[in-house]
Amino acid sequence: CEYDAENDADSDSVCGNQQRCKWDAENDADSDGICGDVDSCRYDAENDADSDAVCGNVDSCMYDSEDDADSDSICGNVDSCSLDGENDADSDGICGHEDSCRYD
């Protein structure tokens, strides 16, 4: 790399003077504008959208910061009873954690 003093520091076959991410061999893999060598979520373009410290590319509930708090396999951002694992078992329109008669 004639004009690159570090001679392709990230070994990606692109000279540093010709790329924006000269220390990131994947050259911003998620295309979020943050080079992988400083990106806390290298493969998540939204960079942990729900701020739960789990990057979206490995987060089972990428828009639910509590990651399915009631463990009913429905992410809280789309769960009508996000704190009721039985999802209003008696179908009275009142979620179990607020229902004084959960099964009546």
Side-chain angles (χ1 to χ4, degrees), residues 80-103:
S80 59
C81 290
S82 62
L83 298 176
D84 175 9
E86 295 180 293
N87 295 308
D88 186 19
D90 61 1
S91 300
D92 64 357
I94 303 170
C95 296
H97 68 288
E98 297 173 344
D99 194 340
S100 59
C101 296
R102 294 180 67 137
Y103 302 105

Side-chain angles (χ1 to χ4, degrees), residues 24 28-48 55:
D24 174 11
D28 187 19
D30 61 4
S31 301
D32 63 356
I34 303 170
C35 296
D37 57 311
V38 294
D39 191 344
S40 60
C41 292
R42 297 177 64 112
Y43 304 108
D44 175 10
E46 294 183 86
N47 293 308
D48 187 19
C55 296

Side-chain angles (χ1 to χ4, degrees), residues 65-84:
S65 63
E66 295 180 343
D67 290 319
D68 187 21
D70 61 5
S71 300
D72 63 354
S73 298
I74 303 171
C75 296
N77 59 305
V78 294
D79 190 345
S80 59
C81 290
S82 62
L83 298 176
D84 175 9

Side-chain angles (χ1 to χ4, degrees), residues 8-27:
D8 188 21
D10 61 4
S11 302
D12 64 354
S13 299
V14 181
C15 296
N17 61 306
Q18 298 175 342
Q19 63 181 328
R20 194 177 63 76
C21 297
K22 66 182 189 175
W23 293 291
D24 174 11
E26 295 180 294
N27 294 310

